[in-house]
Amino acid sequence: MNKITIGQIQNAPIIDKNIYGHFSEHLGHCIYGGIFVGKDSPIPNVNGMRTDVVEAMKRLKVPVLRWPGGCFADEYHWRDGVGKERRRMVNTNWGGTVEDNSFGTHEFMELCRQVGCAPYVNINVGSGTVREMAEWVEYMNSDGDSTTVRERWANGRKAPFDVKYWGIGNENWGGGGNMRPEYYADVYRQFQTYCRTYGDNVPYKIACGPDTANYEWTEVLMRNAGNYMDALTLHYYTITKEWADKGSATDFDDALYFETLRKANYMDELITKHSAIMDRYDPTRRVALLVDEWGCWHNVEPGTNPGFLYQQNAMRDAMVAALSLNIFNRHSARVRMTNIAQVVNVLQSIILTDDEKMVLTPTYHVFDLFKGHMDAELMQCMLECPKLENGMERLSVSASQKNGVITLTIANFTDETAVQVEGIHARRISARVLSATPQAYNSFDAPNRVSPEVFNRFETTESGINLTMPACSIVSLSFDVNHPDI
Ligand code: AHR
């Protein structure tokens, strides 16, 4: 039997809605073709943004979108992407394609406006200058009558864009300059000085954080630059096999399925250990730990450009998403934003497109099932369940409450099983389930093979609810409650 006991947490953290954030890089067909098709495209669009993709993102209430990279950010010069004449460049990171910069600052802000999300702009530290960054911040946020602001006016935008989230470099321990932590900490301190406040828009400054288990990076950054940052951002990708041959997105056996889960579950240890270092320098948790790149990184689909990172998305990916989002929720006292990589057509996408066709992936549906957690108060969730052979618990859970409604999300990684939930008196229950074999995926020909259904395999009890979870499934329950026990 599996048992989940739900309770209140004293001074419970709020699960920041930005934990449900996304990432869009100039990479493959993420921006071009996936999001932006241009005003003259036969694909229905508003100001060049695909209507189908924007509508799908709106339905998820995407809270924040990171742009323009990734690796691309550290080679991006923002002036190339504003005004009538756009400079062309070769995207050396991703497939050597020609980047014509037709999607730039104003287009990104238009995308965020249509989606209704906050923009998160990642500036160029690796090959950019302090002045270039300072002028981008001024261009976006200032209301003063300066030459830079006049440039914005001339480009058709009078009011400041008021961008809050600024990432200062990307993976500066690697592609963003191969810096040592002591050096980057100093560079960060310098850059952030000139990331100015305009009006009442105080920029939220995000420092490049560690790759995976580089604890030394976190230690040095917190020691040398912790006082100058609002957040430090971790990158961790789930790679089932190894870098050279990561494994197929759809063709895998049970052993590889459980190995993927084990690797994804490592996120919990990473956050715990990086947070413990941060706790020593920042016991009040002023500085957030973000995870602005995460997700499954598989081999590209056969026949596609290896530099485009286009991969299918199966129920296994959905399980990884559910596991990861439950981990982030549980760490929400420190983790305040995450951005799955990447929103359309790249790595673990929520949306795939092929010319005018669009399909929602199983991962999309997980974000939909978890929406109730956004900006809700974290609840305690004690889990008693058997372990899998790979050492993980067979279930993953998190719970939250907002306006008298509890959201409980449970992932069952293996066979059908009964789950007893205690600690709540549930009324007006609504529940949905996503369930399929780990290999199942949605294609353009069969777009609804994996999609959520109403879930009714439960019964209420005096003190909770008993449910039967299908094999390889994710259930999201929401209920009105009264809490006589609390
Ligand atoms: O998301 C793909 C790439 O992975 C990003 O550009 C980079 O930051 C990371 O290494």
Side-chain angles (χ1 to χ4, degrees):
M1 186 58 160
N2 311 284
K3 188 170 167 192
I4 298 166
T5 310
I6 297 182
Q8 303 278 20
I9 299 176
Q10 266 206 337
N11 301 321
I14 299 296
I15 298 173
D16 197 311
K17 66 175 186 237
N18 287 341
I19 283 181
Y20 293 83
H22 290 266
F23 171 35
S24 56
E25 181 166 9
H26 288 238
L27 194 179
H29 292 299
C30 183
I31 300 284
Y32 298 108
I35 293 172
F36 183 68
V37 287
K39 287 180 185 153
D40 299 330
S41 169
I43 298 173
N45 70 84
V46 175
N47 295 329
M49 313 299 156
R50 291 182 71 125
T51 306
D52 52 358
V53 169
V54 167
E55 288 305 315
M57 290 173 76
K58 275 165 74 174
R59 285 197 296 278
L60 280 192
K61 300 190 196 307
V62 166
V64 63
L65 187 62
R66 178 175 179 238
W67 172 82
C71 294
F72 183 78
D74 274 304
E75 278 188 288
Y76 184 64
H77 300 284
W78 68 271
R79 276 209 167 81
D80 295 353
V82 295
K84 287 214 163 52
E85 296 300 318
R86 306 269 173 117
R87 261 183 110 240
R88 293 162 70 82
M89 68 181 278
V90 172
N91 190 336
T92 49
N93 281 293
W94 305 118
T97 51
V98 172
E99 164 64 59
D100 67 6
N101 279 304
S102 51
F103 187 96
T105 297
H106 290 256
E107 290 74 23
F108 175 62
M109 294 309 298
E110 170 62 9
L111 171 65
C112 292
R113 186 193 69 75
Q114 289 187 27
V115 171
C117 66
Y120 165 9
V121 174
N122 209 118
I123 65 104
N124 179 347
V125 165
S127 68
T129 63
V130 174
R131 176 175 177 174
E132 184 183 5
M133 176 213 66
E135 289 185 351
W136 201 5
V137 180
E138 183 188 0
Y139 184 90
M140 300 282 253
N141 286 355
S142 172
D143 210 6
D145 185 3
S146 69
T147 301
T148 301
V149 171
R150 284 182 177 208
E151 232 178 305
R152 187 186 74 223
W153 296 347
N155 291 332
R157 171 78 187 195
K158 183 73 184 153
F161 286 117
D162 283 337
V163 174
K164 176 176 174 191
Y165 299 107
W166 293 91
I168 304 201
N170 173 72
E171 297 192 349
N172 302 92
W173 35 260
N178 286 304
M179 299 177 189
R180 289 167 298 117
E182 292 80 4
Y183 180 73
Y184 172 73
D186 283 347
V187 169
Y188 171 81
R189 286 169 62 135
Q190 182 191 11
F191 270 70
Q192 68 78 35
T193 307
Y194 304 96
C195 184
R196 298 291 194 199
T197 295
Y198 290 99
D200 53 11
N201 184 357
V202 182
Y204 183 92
K205 299 172 185 173
I206 301 165
C208 164
D211 176 29
T212 311
N214 186 347
Y215 298 113
E216 189 207 349
W217 186 277
T218 300
E219 183 84 42
V220 173
L221 262 290
M222 287 306 292
R223 187 175 61 227
N224 294 4
N227 289 342
Y228 298 90
M229 65 178 75
D230 295 300
L232 188 66
T233 182
L234 163 73
H235 286 184
Y236 173 61
Y237 284 98
T238 298
I239 296 171
T240 303
K241 289 160 115 186
E242 67 217 2
W243 185 252
D245 174 17
K246 303 175 188 70
S248 159
T250 50
D251 185 10
F252 53 89
D253 58 17
D254 275 2
L256 286 178
Y257 165 64
F258 288 111
E259 180 62 358
T260 307
L261 294 176
R262 190 184 70 79
K263 295 264 183 88
N265 196 40
Y266 183 42
M267 182 70 87
D268 194 32
E269 177 179 330
L270 288 172
I271 293 176
T272 303
K273 290 188 172 167
H274 285 294
S275 297
I277 296 169
M278 295 176 78
D279 286 348
R280 281 197 273 110
Y281 294 93
D282 175 36
T284 61
R285 298 188 177 134
R286 186 191 63 78
V287 180
L289 180 64
L290 314 186
V291 188
D292 69 7
E293 289 187 28
W294 67 272
C296 289
W297 192 324
H298 306 301
N299 288 342
V300 298
E301 287 305 300
T304 64
N305 186 328
F308 285 8
L309 309 187
Y310 177 79
Q311 65 190 38
Q312 248 302 347
N313 192 295
M315 185 64 194
R316 174 179 62 168
D317 299 270
M319 299 306 284
V320 168
L323 169 65
S324 306
L325 292 171
N326 279 333
I327 291 172
F328 299 145
N329 286 346
R330 295 197 305 265
H331 284 282
S332 52
R334 181 68 84 174
V335 175
R336 289 176 213 138
M337 186 197 295
T338 85
N339 309 74
I340 187 169
Q342 300 191 3
V343 67
V344 188
N345 292 332
V346 171
L347 300 176
Q348 190 174 344
S349 302
I350 55 166
I351 298 168
L352 299 176
T353 66
D354 179 16
D355 287 331
E356 78 293 350
K357 290 181 255 173
M358 182 195 84
V359 69
L360 304 178
T361 67
T363 299
Y364 178 97
H365 297 305
V366 175
F367 276 80
D368 195 31
L369 292 179
F370 277 62
K371 266 190 320 203
H373 289 305
M374 289 163 90
D375 280 343
E377 189 181 299
L378 183 70
M379 298 191 77
Q380 194 180 57
C381 240
M382 247 180 51
L383 173 64
E384 296 161 74
C385 73
K387 296 229 158 143
L388 299 170
E389 268 178 35
N390 68 5
M392 291 171 62
E393 285 159 329
R394 70 168 293 161
L395 302 179
S396 144
V397 292
S398 68
S400 65
Q401 60 183 351
K402 187 167 69 178
N403 304 328
V405 174
I406 289 185
T407 300
L408 171 64
T409 46
I410 316 172
N412 171 27
F413 300 122
T414 182
D415 308 327
E416 177 170 308
T417 193
V419 182
Q420 182 189 350
V421 180
E422 289 290 319
I424 42 166
H425 291 254
R427 292 181 286 133
R428 285 204 296 179
I429 302 165
S430 66
R432 289 188 297 157
V433 62
L434 192 70
S435 175
T437 61
Q439 293 79 6
Y441 62 92
N442 294 333
S443 65
F444 298 105
D445 297 330
N448 298 317
R449 212 182 274 138
V450 188
S451 53
E453 288 169 8
V454 171
F455 179 69
N456 47 26
R457 296 182 70 186
F458 62 83
E459 57 188 21
T460 51
T461 63
E462 272 291 289
S463 53
I465 176 168
N466 289 340
L467 47 136
T468 305
M469 290 193 66
C472 192
S473 66
I474 299 155
V475 166
S476 168
L477 298 129
S478 75
F479 21 71
D480 278 351
V481 285
N482 60 51
H483 279 282
D485 337 311
I486 296 162

